[in-house]
Amino acid sequence: MSKAVLHLSEGMEPGFLREVEVEAGTRVSLCYQCGKCAASCPVSFVMDLEPYQVMRLVQLGARDEVLRSRTIWLCASCTACSERCPREVDVAATMDALRVLARRAGYRPAEGQIALFHGIFLDNVRDAGRLHELGLMVRYKLKSGGLFSDLDVGLPMMRHGKLKPVPHRIRGTDQMRALFARVRAREAAAKGGEGR
Ligand code: SF4
Ligand code: SF4
C-alpha cells in the first residue's frame, strides 16, 4: 500500500503529546524518526500511516489525524517496534494508548470489524482466563457473517493440533471476571467524569 501524504488539519493540540505519554507510559518525544519501527513492523504494508509517522503526528499534536487512522487498529501489538527502537520508545504501548484514547473520545475504529474482533477477544479471555483461538474464530465468523471464510487455513491448523476444540481454563476465572468488571466500572466512571 502506498503511504499517505500527510495533510495536517488546522487545530494542532500541544497537550496531546503529554496525554499520550501519560497513557502509554513512554516518551514519544524522544523519537527521532529513524524509521526502524516501520522496518520491523509485520503489518506496516496495510497501514495508512507508518508507525514513525504516528509518532511524529503525536509529537505535533495532530490528535484527529492519529485517532482516526487505520494504523492504530491494525497494529497487532507484537512489540517488534518497541524492542528495536534505539530511543527506547515503546511504540506498541503507544498504539495501545491511542486505541484507548480513540475509544474514550468516541472515534469509531477506522477498520470496520475491528471493534467486533476486540470485543470477542476480550470476552474470550474474560471467560477462560486465556485465549481460546477456536472459540474466538467461530464467534467472530458467526458475528461478522463470514462463517466459511478462511477454512483453507483453519482446517489444516486443526489437523495439526494448533486449534484446540476445548478451552484451557486457568484457575481463578472468578478473579479474572472480577478484574474485567473493575476495569469496566473504572471506564464507566471516567466517562461519567468527562460528561460532567
Ligand atoms: S524506531 Fe523509535 S526512534 Fe525510530 S522512528 Fe520508530 S519510534 Fe522513532
Ligand atoms: S506492535 Fe504494532 S506497530 Fe509495532 S511492530 Fe507490532 S504491529 Fe507494528
XYZ file of all heavy atoms in Angstrom, residues 41-43 47 51 75-81 92, ligand 2:
89
model
N 7.974 -3.699 11.471
C 6.547 -3.969 11.660
C 6.020 -4.957 10.613
O 6.103 -4.698 9.412
C 5.765 -2.655 11.568
S 3.985 -2.907 11.763
N 5.436 -6.079 11.055
C 4.964 -7.075 10.091
C 3.692 -6.666 9.351
O 3.324 -7.307 8.368
C 4.696 -8.311 10.967
C 4.423 -7.769 12.328
C 5.239 -6.520 12.455
N 3.002 -5.656 9.840
C 1.749 -5.277 9.175
C 1.774 -3.847 8.615
O 0.738 -3.322 8.221
C 0.522 -5.464 10.105
C 0.275 -6.926 10.383
C 0.674 -4.689 11.401
N -0.967 -0.548 6.618
C -1.290 0.640 7.423
C -1.413 1.888 6.549
O -0.725 1.992 5.525
C -0.201 0.865 8.474
C -0.190 -0.170 9.574
S 1.232 0.009 10.665
C 0.730 -0.985 12.069
N 4.314 3.473 11.465
C 4.444 3.737 12.900
C 5.229 5.013 13.222
O 4.848 5.779 14.115
C 5.149 2.482 13.420
C 4.699 1.398 12.482
C 4.594 2.061 11.141
N -2.478 -2.347 14.189
C -1.318 -2.773 14.982
C -1.657 -4.058 15.728
O -2.698 -4.154 16.376
C -0.948 -1.679 15.974
S 0.154 -2.260 17.282
N -0.780 -5.051 15.606
C -1.033 -6.363 16.207
C -0.390 -6.510 17.588
O -0.368 -7.604 18.142
C -0.519 -7.450 15.272
N 0.152 -5.428 18.128
C 0.767 -5.440 19.470
C 1.868 -6.488 19.602
O 2.037 -7.083 20.665
C -0.297 -5.690 20.555
O -1.297 -4.709 20.498
N 2.613 -6.698 18.529
C 3.655 -7.732 18.575
C 4.911 -7.260 19.307
O 5.750 -8.067 19.674
C 4.010 -8.176 17.160
S 4.873 -6.908 16.208
N 5.056 -5.953 19.467
C 6.173 -5.277 20.172
C 7.524 -5.322 19.441
O 8.542 -4.949 20.027
C 6.371 -5.782 21.629
O 6.959 -7.080 21.618
C 5.081 -5.807 22.415
N 7.542 -5.783 18.188
C 8.817 -5.787 17.441
C 9.401 -4.378 17.363
O 10.612 -4.169 17.492
C 8.594 -6.345 16.045
N 8.529 -3.399 17.167
C 8.976 -1.994 17.056
C 9.596 -1.508 18.368
O 10.672 -0.890 18.372
C 7.791 -1.107 16.699
S 6.340 -1.430 17.724
N 4.610 0.047 20.721
C 3.429 -0.816 20.878
C 2.518 -0.278 21.981
O 1.288 -0.235 21.815
C 3.874 -2.242 21.193
S 3.492 -3.548 17.838
Fe 2.167 -2.805 16.188
S 3.301 -1.097 15.233
Fe 4.746 -2.294 16.459
S 5.681 -3.725 15.026
Fe 3.975 -4.810 16.015
S 2.209 -4.458 14.687
Fe 3.778 -2.966 14.082
